[in-house]
Amino acid sequence: MARSTAVARSRVRRTMTTESVGPPIPPTSSSQPNPSPPPPDTKARPSRLAYPVPRPAPTHTSNHLRQSTHPHLGGRSLGLPPTFGRNQLLPVSDSTRALLEQIVRSFDAPVRYAFAYGSGVFEQTGYDHVDGDIVDTSKPKRKQNRADKPMLDFIFAVNHPDHWHSINMHQYPGHYPLHARMLGSSFVTKVQEMGPGVWFNTYVPMHDVTIKYGVTSVDTLCADLLNWRTLYLAGRMHKPLRIIKDDARVRLTQQVNLTSALRTALLMLPSQFTPRDLFMHIASISYTGDPRMVLPAENRNKVKNVVDRQEGQFRELYWRLAHGLPGVRWSVGSDVVEQDVSPQARVAHMKKLPQGLLDRVHARMRERGGVSREADEYAYWIRVAGDESMPDILQQEMCKIVRYPATVQTLKGVVSAGVSKSTRYAAAKVGKWWKGVGSSSPSS
């Protein structure tokens, strides 16, 4: 009995071994006694639970975004081909790429997926590239300084937000307001989970630039990309962004998100339109219902400013996806897009809308009466897709999805940034709103 127990323990130890340090040991014969175990190590060791050491972030390799077998992609487990989602890999200048990667590598806490977005990464109207930097062109050159450069915006998706904030607070306590540091990472995580599920640290100086970074969980991010639960993260990812750390699961759900945005825009457009019309509809989804667009807290021309300078990036994101949809005709380099607008063609788009939006459409149709889905599903879908008011219904329901989470996130800014930074951030947003009002008013 004692011998069989020792053999079982030996097998468990071999199963849990992660590294081989020498040639395999041949099995011992039955006549040889088992070697005696080494004496126990009596040297005191510090507890890893008391002093958790974060895993260092892996160094960047130039082709890591294209390798499905990269350890942080998990592409092999998902079975994604190496070229899957290549439309998401938008290029930026070498200097911008190096800066973004340097910033993400500066965090000891492990980041699973990271991207940068906004006017600090891609050009927008009102900002131009000067000596490799993006600056506010509304001010004379002699008055331009570091503060005129747009803030670099990041989103970090992590596996365990509580643990991540604990490590990050230890490394960068100044990124958090005093009350957040005193209450700890558990408090930060609870606040993060409210609304769209993001915690922002803003006005952070790093590597001679000012950054803002939001932290969310991978599960929260993927759920929004698939179902449009809040459209807070999914809407931001409808527009051009620069992936810094990739992940196969997020890449897959992001491809679904982009296709959903394309289908939604097609349902709101006529049989013939321009690529710019398509991009304007897609870019406006995340701003529909955002209270900042009603209050003096955002540039009213934001959507136009984004599309004006980023049409090439929008085309890269959506052309291949549109080309693969039935009933859509968009030739390479063409300035005209055509689509089949028959009820049968639109049913194909309607059925594949994100569940969060589709459930709201079903509720609206039940209120209006008519053929129920249970009585005759085919007739029901034909009625829904052929309804002339469907573009307005989609617009109204997306507005409802966005409004509450965006309002909660705006109010959370006071808690996550503190009074001083929140006031500074609000003042900057009011300035952008005023600039938008001035540029959109008719010239006298």
Side-chain angles (χ1 to χ4, degrees):
M1 181 68 177
R3 170 172 168 71
S4 57
T5 303
V7 172
R9 288 177 178 172
S10 176
R11 288 176 179 172
V12 171
R13 283 196 295 269
R14 288 199 300 270
T15 302
M16 297 180 65
T17 301
T18 58
E19 243 182 317
S20 176
V21 295
I25 301 175
T28 57
S29 63
S30 57
S31 61
Q32 292 177 337
N34 290 331
S36 58
D41 185 4
T42 58
K43 184 179 179 181
R45 296 178 181 176
S47 170
R48 287 180 60 85
L49 296 178
Y51 302 97
V53 180
R55 292 196 305 267
T59 57
H60 172 82
T61 55
S62 60
N63 63 345
H64 83 284
L65 290 177
R66 296 187 291 273
Q67 293 178 346
S68 62
T69 57
H70 187 276
H72 291 273
L73 291 183
R76 179 175 296 175
S77 61
L78 290 181
L80 300 180
T83 58
F84 180 84
R86 61 177 178 170
N87 56 306
Q88 302 176 27
L89 309 180
L90 301 179
V92 295
S93 66
D94 289 341
S95 59
T96 300
R97 176 185 57 78
L99 175 61
L100 299 179
E101 292 169 1
Q102 184 181 21
I103 290 172
V104 173
R105 283 199 303 267
S106 300
F107 291 85
D108 289 341
V111 177
R112 181 165 163 184
Y113 181 85
F115 68 87
Y117 64 100
S119 56
V121 181
F122 297 102
E123 290 186 64
Q124 292 184 17
T125 300
Y127 297 95
D128 277 335
H129 285 269
V130 178
D131 296 331
D133 293 325
I134 302 178
V135 297
D136 188 344
T137 55
S138 65
K139 295 185 179 182
K141 290 185 178 180
R142 65 179 181 274
K143 295 183 179 181
Q144 289 173 355
N145 51 46
R146 172 181 165 179
D148 296 324
K149 299 177 183 179
M151 196 183 310
L152 289 175
D153 297 317
F154 295 83
I155 292 291
F156 299 157
V158 304
N159 285 330
H160 307 289
D162 195 340
H163 182 59
W164 195 94
H165 287 296
S166 177
I167 297 173
N168 200 49
M169 275 186 183
H170 186 268
Q171 183 185 10
Y172 295 120
H175 292 190
Y176 297 83
L178 178 61
H179 63 271
R181 299 198 299 269
M182 293 178 65
L183 295 172
S185 60
S186 296
F187 166 78
V188 171
T189 303
K190 285 182 173 62
V191 175
Q192 174 182 311
E193 291 171 352
M194 298 177 182
V198 187
W199 171 280
F200 277 104
N201 287 330
T202 187
Y203 284 109
V204 174
M206 186 172 283
H207 298 291
D208 296 325
V209 294
T210 303
I211 73 169
K212 176 183 74 175
Y213 62 94
V215 182
T216 188
S217 71
V218 175
D219 291 340
T220 297
L221 174 61
C222 291
D224 199 32
L225 293 176
L226 285 177
N227 302 318
W228 287 12
R229 184 180 64 89
T230 67
L231 267 173
Y232 191 85
L233 294 166
R236 274 160 176 73
M237 296 180 72
H238 291 160
K239 297 179 282 292
L241 54 89
R242 173 64 184 183
I243 299 174
I244 307 165
K245 290 193 70 175
D246 206 354
D247 176 83
R249 179 185 170 196
V250 180
R251 188 191 289 202
L252 178 60
T253 52
Q254 166 64 346
Q255 201 75 338
V256 175
N257 178 47
L258 294 175
T259 307
S260 297
L262 179 59
R263 291 182 184 277
T264 304
L266 290 173
L267 287 167
M268 302 171 71
L269 287 165
S271 60
Q272 191 175 91
F273 51 91
T274 66
R276 178 180 169 80
D277 294 334
L278 176 66
F279 304 151
M280 290 287 287
H281 273 78
I282 292 173
S284 66
I285 290 176
S286 62
Y287 295 108
T288 303
D290 192 329
R292 297 176 303 169
M293 302 303 291
V294 180
L295 301 172
E298 188 57 87
N299 190 333
R300 297 292 177 84
N301 296 319
K302 182 73 172 179
V303 174
K304 178 179 179 297
N305 292 347
V306 170
V307 175
D308 279 348
R309 292 293 186 90
Q310 300 177 24
E311 235 180 291
Q313 286 88 352
F314 273 100
R315 188 180 293 265
E316 176 64 24
L317 277 175
Y318 291 102
W319 182 84
R320 291 185 183 89
L321 295 177
H323 195 66
L325 293 180
V328 179
R329 294 172 293 280
W330 184 4
S331 302
V332 179
S334 175
D335 291 330
V336 176
V337 185
E338 297 177 333
Q339 66 163 332
D340 183 355
V341 294
S342 66
Q344 291 79 6
R346 293 195 171 235
V347 165
H349 295 318
M350 289 291 303
K351 286 185 173 182
K352 294 187 178 181
L353 290 179
Q355 199 62 44
L357 177 58
L358 194 55
D359 287 345
R360 291 174 174 271
V361 172
H362 289 323
R364 286 287 295 272
M365 299 308 291
R366 284 195 298 269
E367 293 173 0
R368 300 177 65 173
V371 180
S372 68
R373 186 179 177 187
E374 293 76 14
D376 189 338
E377 185 167 4
Y378 177 78
Y380 169 81
W381 281 112
I382 292 296
R383 182 174 72 91
V384 170
D387 195 318
E388 293 182 356
S389 63
M390 187 51 60
D392 294 332
I393 293 176
L394 292 173
Q395 185 80 10
Q396 293 163 10
E397 296 308 319
M398 287 190 294
C399 180
K400 294 176 184 177
I401 292 175
V402 170
R403 184 183 294 121
Y404 177 74
T407 303
V408 171
Q409 189 64 41
T410 300
L411 298 176
K412 279 168 57 179
V414 180
V415 179
S416 62
V419 177
S420 176
K421 286 185 177 181
S422 296
T423 304
R424 181 182 174 188
Y425 188 74
K429 287 295 184 181
V430 170
K432 291 183 178 181
W433 171 83
W434 185 254
K435 186 192 300 183
V437 170
S439 61
S440 60
S441 61
S443 57
S444 56

